[in-house]
Amino acid sequence: MKFLKNFGLFLLTVLMLVLWVLMPWYGALALAVLVALWMFLFRSGMQTRSVAAVGISTLTQRIGSSAVIVVGIAGVVGVLVALLAMAEGYAQTLRNSGSLDTAIVMRGASANEVSSSLSREDLVQIEQTPGIARNVKGEPIVSAETVVAANLPIKGSKTGDSGSAQVRGISEAAFLVRPNAKIVEGRTFQPGLREIIVGKGAVRQFEGLTVGATLRLGNQPWTIVGIFASGDAMESELWADANVVNDTYKRGSGRNSATVKLESPAAIKAFSEALEANPQLKVKASTTLEFFAKQSEQMTKVLRIIGIVVGSIMAVGAVFGALNTMFAAVAARAREIATLRAIGFRGLPVVVAVMLETTLLALIGGLIGGSVAWLLFNGFEASTMAAGSVGKLSFNLAVSPGLLWEGIKWALAIGFVGGLFPAVRAASLPVTTALREA
C-alpha cells in the first residue's frame, strides 16, 4: 500500500508539472484567484490560512535554511533566463530582418542564399514578374545580391584571431527593399568603385572597421566609406557594389539571390505563382519575414535546448535543497502540526499550508533570479555563426516578459516539488508518532 501511495503521488506530481508547463500566465492568475477565494470562503481554506500564517511568520527565525531555497532557485532562474535570452535575441534579430511586403527569390532547391545561384537571364525574368513594386521611374524595385565571405581580425583578440564576416554585393535598390537600413556615419559607396560600407554589428565584432580605413578583400584594397545601422541581422554584414564584388571574387554576372519590394503584402501569392508558372525559371519565392524566421529555427532550438538542459540540471539540485530544508522545517514543527490535527484540522490544510510556504520562497527566488538576469543580460551583445550564412551574426540578448514568466514558472515548479513530499508526510504522519518524534 505504501508503494502504491508513493507511486500515485509521483504520478500526480508529473501530471501537475505537465499541466503547469502548458499553463499560460492568465491561467496561473486564475488559479491563484481560486486558491485565494477558497482560503477566505471555505472552512478548510481558513484553516489553511491559519496554518500558513504561522509558518510564514517564522521564516525570519529560519533565515539561513530559507535562504538555501531562495538562493538555489534564484540561481536556476537566473541561468535559465540568461541562456534562453540568447535564443530569444537571436530569433528576434533575424525576425526583424524580414517583412511581409518584401520577398526573396532563390534557386528552387536552395535552403539559404549561400547555396543559391541565379543567372543574369534568371534575374531579367524575375524583374518582369507581376507583383513587384516600381519606383518613380517605373523601374522594378529589385536588389540582385551576391554573398561572399571575408576573414577579418576579431576585435579585442590578444592572439590575433580572425573571424568570418559576410560581404553582400548589393544594387542601388538595396536601401529601398530594406528601408530600415540607414547610413549613420560617412556616406554610401559609389557604384563601380572598391568602396564598402559596414554594419554597426560588424564594427563591434571586427577590428579596424572605421570610416577611411582600408580592407583587403579578395586580395584587393577596399576603402570603408560609411557605417550603416538597420537594427537587424544586416548590421553584421559589409555592403558593396555587387558588380565590383563579383569582379573581385570572379563570380561572373550571376547573383545568389534577389530581394524584391512587393506591391503589397497580399501580392506574394500572385508573385510566387507567376515565378513557378514560368518555364524558364526554377526558383522559389517567400516573404523575407518567412525566410528569416526559418533561418532562425534551428539555432534557436539548439540554444533553447542548451538552456533547458543546464536549467534542469541546476533545478535538480535546487529541488533537493528545498526538500531537505522543508523536511527539516516540518520536523521542527511536528508537535505543532500534530496538535493542530488533534484538535480537528484536516490533512489538506496542512499540506496546502506547507506548500504555500515553499511556494512563497520559490516565488521570491524566481523574482530575484529573473531580475538579476534582466539587469545583467538584457541587451548584452553576443555573436555566433548565423544559420545559412558565411559570417557571424551580432545580436543582443533579449530578456522578454515571456522569458521572465517562464523563469517564474520554473521557480514555482521547483517549489511545488520541494514542498509536496514534506507536506504530505506532515499530514499523513500519525498524531502519536509525530508527538513522539518531536
Side-chain angles (χ1 to χ4, degrees), residues 209-278:
L209 300 188
T210 58
V211 174
T214 300
L215 291 178
R216 291 199 69 82
L217 303 177
N219 293 321
Q220 299 291 336
W222 294 70
T223 303
I224 300 174
V225 296
I227 298 173
F228 69 92
S230 59
D232 55 28
M234 297 297 133
E235 278 192 4
S236 300
E237 298 182 344
L238 292 76
W239 289 3
D241 179 61
N243 291 324
V244 182
V245 171
N246 275 31
D247 290 343
T248 302
Y249 287 87
K250 297 179 175 58
R251 291 294 189 91
S253 60
R255 301 288 190 269
N256 290 100
S257 66
T259 302
V260 308
K261 179 78 172 178
L262 299 172
E263 293 176 343
S264 69
I268 181 61
K269 183 178 180 181
F271 176 69
S272 181
E273 290 176 349
L275 290 176
E276 293 177 2
N278 190 333

Side-chain angles (χ1 to χ4, degrees), residues 39-59:
M39 291 175 63
F40 281 91
L41 299 179
F42 294 88
R43 183 172 178 271
S44 58
M46 294 178 185
Q47 290 180 344
T48 299
R49 188 154 48 93
S50 300
V51 178
V54 174
I56 292 173
S57 66
T58 63
L59 286 177

Side-chain angles (χ1 to χ4, degrees), residues 158-223:
K158 296 180 180 180
T159 56
D161 294 335
S162 61
S164 180
Q166 183 158 289
V167 179
R168 182 177 296 271
I170 62 173
S171 70
E172 294 180 2
F175 286 93
L176 296 178
V177 298
R178 301 182 183 91
N180 54 323
K182 307 289 184 184
I183 298 293
V184 294
E185 185 179 344
R187 59 174 175 83
T188 190
F189 58 83
Q190 294 185 19
L193 299 181
R194 288 197 181 90
E195 295 182 341
I196 196 166
I197 58 176
V198 297
K200 288 178 63 178
V203 172
R204 293 193 296 266
Q205 292 184 70
F206 301 107
E207 196 71 52
L209 300 188
T210 58
V211 174
T214 300
L215 291 178
R216 291 199 69 82
L217 303 177
N219 293 321
Q220 299 291 336
W222 294 70
T223 303

